[in-house]
């Protein structure tokens, strides 16, 4: 990732001067314009909408009406939103920790204890196949596995004579079950696998004393990645619990979806998306700063 | 202490891998197993671990039902269309950022492009839903193709920039010395070297578009029905057609899995690389 290459400019050879001056803009321009049209532009409009009351279909707010920070005041005092943020704190915190820890252990075990190359590649492929499932499809699969009556998880427990909980039927257990589904789909991060290859240590002591410190930055990167995913998390929640029972397992993005596309309270939903987006960026920046301090020490 | 460690940890490590392998493999097995069972053998106690009389009925349904096949064709059109556009634009921009980075804002602009991915998808689709309404793009292939650029174009640009950065600039310089034009140098020198990266980027952006759900849910559903929007229609008020859902799941998971097996190294790299180097 060196930037030195950029310091060398193209040789100026006669008629190619024009190419050289125009080329950067011709190459990068179309992408910048496209991203502006499909992402930045709409989001700026949505930023303006977040200061408006707009409820298409309603009588009073047929058109966007400027209401200042009302939408933000509404959401920060909304119990259901705060509830969804608490759910996210649990889901994001515990989920990311477990997934990153599992990914690290898997990578290390795979490299250190599987000598046979074919077996190692086979296992690695097996661990990544779940990632190829559409999140929606994975959610349905786990919904089936977790069915309270007749689901195979409770089937196993029944055979063993153990209690058979209603996995998706309550707040914390529901969130945890969704977390299991999400862990199944994506826990092996390749950056960790690569790291394990380079820094493979064969014993726990060595792992703790040498490998873990070396892996720290990669683990943080993996955590950032997983955290970003958790932030955007939607599909599996949508199919597995639909935010229920009631609204107990709702996460912020799902709540935003309901406000925007069930109630058509567009201004409020816009305010929500901006709070979530800025929250995401601020979280990343904090992670980033932490990582920098770790590097400097 | 150290000696017990050496003897014990490999065994523990292997046991851990074995348990995780079962955890990873079982839902895959169960997807196929459920697709092969008639409805009355699903959700039984004890569970039917091996279907005694496997039936391809559910697969036949997916492949002959016009809504199911139509949805797969819609998904193919949309995923392929968006991939062509995002790889084409992203490869050009990636090359631009790699070779002329400072002229076009350098790292900052590239990073700023990627940071648009930090917003949850709902943040983009909320305003887009209304904008699409004005331009009659709701419920169209082209609408979803454009919408998928929001996550795929930053990804392809970033990945391609990285792949181009791995090719030393001196290769092109040598070509210029030999009297090649920039275009010819690109075609003859850079392109062959970047081709594996280009293929991986293409495959990855295809898989992302193929598996997308929330955008499809919001902007399509009547005229255009990508496969994720069809699966919910198999949940009837009185029963869930699990075997058909899982047959559909098997069929739509095959293409990404084949891509994974064929391009394993590049795909796994790309899945994390895109954001790992933020």
């Amino acid at each position: 990732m060196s930037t030195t290459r950029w310091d060398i400019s193209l040789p100026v050879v006669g008629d190619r001067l024009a190419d050289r001056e125009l080329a950067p803009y011709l190459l990068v321009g179309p992408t910048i314009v496209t991203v502006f049209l499909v992402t930045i532009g709409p989001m700026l409009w949505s930023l303006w909408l977040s200061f408006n009351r707009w409820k298409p279909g309603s009588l009073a707010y047929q058109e966007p009406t400027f209401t200042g920070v009302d939408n933000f005041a509404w959401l920060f005092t909304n119990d259901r939103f705060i509830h969804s943020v608490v759910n996210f704190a649990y889901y994001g915190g515990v989920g990311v920790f477990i997934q990153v820890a599992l990914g690290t252990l898997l990578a290390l075990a795979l490299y250190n204890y599987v000598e046979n190359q074919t077996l190692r590649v086979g296992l690695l492929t097996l661990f990544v196949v779940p990632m190829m499932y559409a999140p929606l499809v994975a959610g349905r699969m786990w919904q089936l596995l977790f069915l309270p009556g007749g689901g195979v998880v409770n089937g196993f427990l029944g055979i063993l004579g153990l209690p058979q909980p209603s996995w998706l039927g309550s707040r914390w257990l529901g969130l945890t079950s969704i977390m299991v589904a999400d862990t199944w789909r994506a826990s092996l991060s390749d950056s960790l696998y690569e790291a394990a290859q380079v820094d493979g240590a064969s014993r726990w002591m060595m792992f703790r004393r040498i490998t873990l410190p070396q892996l720290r930055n990669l683990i943080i990167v993996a955590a950032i990645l997983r955290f970003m995913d958790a932030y955007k998390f939607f599909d599996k929640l949508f199919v597995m619990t639909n935010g229920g029972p009631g609204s107990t397992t709702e996460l912020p993005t799902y709540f935003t979806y309901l406000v925007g596309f069930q109630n058509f309270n567009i201004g409020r939903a816009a305010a929500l998306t901006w709070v979530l987006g800025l929250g995401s960026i601020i979280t990343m920046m904090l992670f980033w700063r932490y990582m920098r301090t770790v590097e400097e020490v | 202490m150290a000696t017990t460690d050496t003897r014990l940890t490999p065994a523990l490590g292997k046991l851990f891998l074995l348990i995780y392998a079962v955890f990873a493999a079982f839902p895959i097995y169960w997807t196929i197993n459920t697709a092969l069972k008639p409805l009355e053998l699903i959700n039984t106690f004890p569970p039917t671990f091996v279907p005694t009389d496997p039936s391809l009925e559910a697969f036949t349904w997916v492949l002959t039902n016009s809504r199911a096949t139509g949805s797969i064709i819609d998904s193919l059109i949309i995923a392929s269309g968006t991939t062509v556009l995002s790889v084409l634009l992203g490869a050009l921009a990636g090359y631009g950022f790699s070779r002329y980075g400072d002229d076009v804002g350098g790292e900052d602009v590239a990073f700023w492009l990627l940071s648009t991915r930090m917003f949850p998808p709902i943040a983009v689709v909320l305003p887009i839903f209304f904008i699409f309404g004005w331009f009659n793009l709701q419920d169209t292939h082209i609408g979803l193709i454009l919408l998928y650029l929001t996550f795929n174009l930053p990804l392809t640009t970033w990945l391609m920039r990285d792949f181009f950065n791995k090719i030393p600039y001196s290769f092109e310089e040598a070509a210029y010395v030999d009297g090649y034009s920039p275009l010819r140098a690109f075609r003859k020198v850079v392109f062959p070297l970047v081709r594996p990266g280009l293929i991986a980027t293409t495959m990855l952006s295809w898989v992302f578009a193929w598996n997308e759900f929330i955008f499809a849910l919001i902007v399509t559903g009547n005229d255009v029905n990508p496969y994720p929007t069809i699966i919910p229609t198999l949940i009837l008020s009185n029963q869930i057609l699990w075997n058909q859902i899982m047959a559909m799941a098997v069929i739509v998971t095959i293409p990404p899995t084949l891509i994974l097996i064929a391009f394993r190294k590049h795909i796994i790299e790309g899945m994390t690389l895109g954001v790992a180097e933020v």
Side-chain angles (χ1 to χ4, degrees), chain B residues 18-49:
Chain B
L18 180 71
I19 293 170
Y20 195 86
V22 172
F23 172 67
F26 187 78
I28 302 170
Y29 170 71
W30 207 248
T31 315
I32 301 166
N33 169 316
T34 308
L36 291 172
K37 284 192 285 201
L39 263 186
E40 58 272 17
L41 287 183
I42 298 168
N43 302 335
T44 53
F45 182 82
T48 317
F49 288 104

Side-chain angles (χ1 to χ4, degrees), chain A:
Chain A
M1 266 300 136
S2 79
T3 51
T4 48
R5 237 166 274 135
W6 293 356
D7 301 336
I8 314 163
S9 29
L10 275 180
V12 186
V13 188
D15 57 347
R16 259 178 252 136
L17 181 65
D19 293 348
R20 187 195 149 212
E21 284 176 343
L22 267 179
Y25 301 99
L26 290 176
L27 290 167
V28 171
T31 291
I32 302 281
V33 170
T34 309
V35 170
F36 190 85
L37 288 178
V38 298
T39 311
I40 312 286
M43 281 180 54
L44 290 176
W45 183 52
S46 125
L47 181 61
W48 180 75
L49 285 178
S50 72
F51 297 102
N52 286 265
R53 190 90 205 263
W54 184 25
K55 215 179 164 192
S58 75
L59 284 175
Y61 299 100
Q62 190 73 36
E63 296 299 324
T65 313
F66 187 80
T67 52
V69 294
D70 278 11
N71 292 326
F72 295 93
W74 167 80
L75 77 93
F76 283 117
T77 53
N78 185 290
D79 289 343
R80 205 161 153 183
F81 174 66
I82 292 160
H83 180 99
S84 76
V85 172
V86 174
N87 281 352
F88 173 72
Y90 170 71
Y91 186 87
V94 178
V96 171
F97 177 78
I98 291 176
Q99 288 168 0
V100 171
L102 256 181
T104 310
L105 289 176
L106 275 176
L108 287 168
L110 203 56
Y111 178 72
N112 287 308
Y113 306 130
V114 182
E115 284 90 23
N116 183 317
Q117 182 66 25
T118 322
L119 182 62
R120 190 190 298 165
V121 170
L123 281 172
L124 182 65
T125 308
L126 170 65
F127 295 161
V128 186
V129 167
M131 247 189 236
M132 298 294 118
Y133 270 64
L136 168 92
V137 171
R140 282 279 171 238
M141 181 67 244
W142 280 93
Q143 186 193 18
L144 174 65
L145 293 172
F146 277 135
L147 281 183
V152 71
V153 173
N154 277 352
F156 267 121
L157 295 174
I159 292 169
L160 299 171
L162 295 168
Q164 303 168 33
S166 169
W167 294 99
L168 300 171
S170 63
R171 183 182 185 185
W172 302 113
L173 195 55
L175 284 170
T176 311
S177 303
I178 296 171
M179 206 186 282
V180 171
D182 196 42
T183 304
W184 172 74
R185 193 173 161 271
S187 61
L188 189 76
S189 154
D190 187 58
S191 51
L192 297 179
Y193 177 72
E194 299 278 329
Q197 271 186 320
V198 179
D199 304 321
S202 55
R203 277 179 293 151
W204 173 245
M205 289 295 277
M206 255 171 92
F207 170 66
R208 214 176 54 194
R209 295 254 171 88
I210 302 164
T211 316
L212 202 58
Q214 283 176 352
L215 281 178
R216 187 158 55 187
N217 280 354
L218 283 157
I219 290 174
I220 292 170
V221 169
I224 293 176
L225 287 173
R226 295 301 308 141
F227 201 77
M228 272 176 68
D229 283 348
Y231 234 99
K232 298 179 187 170
F233 194 81
F234 181 84
D235 304 13
K236 274 181 252 55
L237 181 72
F238 185 86
V239 296
M240 287 175 74
T241 68
N242 242 302
S247 57
T248 50
T249 58
E250 274 173 14
L251 291 172
T253 44
Y254 188 78
F255 179 62
T256 310
Y257 167 77
L258 293 182
V259 173
F261 292 101
Q262 299 289 313
N263 301 340
F264 275 94
N265 231 322
I266 307 307
R268 286 178 176 178
L272 274 164
T273 62
W274 272 93
V275 168
L276 294 182
L278 292 178
S280 160
I281 286 170
I282 289 168
T283 317
M284 295 316 137
M285 282 163 68
L286 290 176
F287 263 125
W288 204 239
R289 186 180 291 176
Y290 171 72
M291 204 164 144
R292 288 262 163 85
T293 20
V294 169
E295 271 168 9
E296 278 161 18
V297 168

Side-chain angles (χ1 to χ4, degrees), chain A residues 105 109 113 204, chain B residues 4-20:
Chain A
L105 289 176
Y113 306 130
W204 173 245
Chain B
T4 43
D5 270 359
T6 22
R7 271 182 291 136
L8 202 65
T9 41
L12 279 177
K14 281 175 185 162
L15 182 69
F16 171 63
L17 280 175
L18 180 71
I19 293 170
Y20 195 86

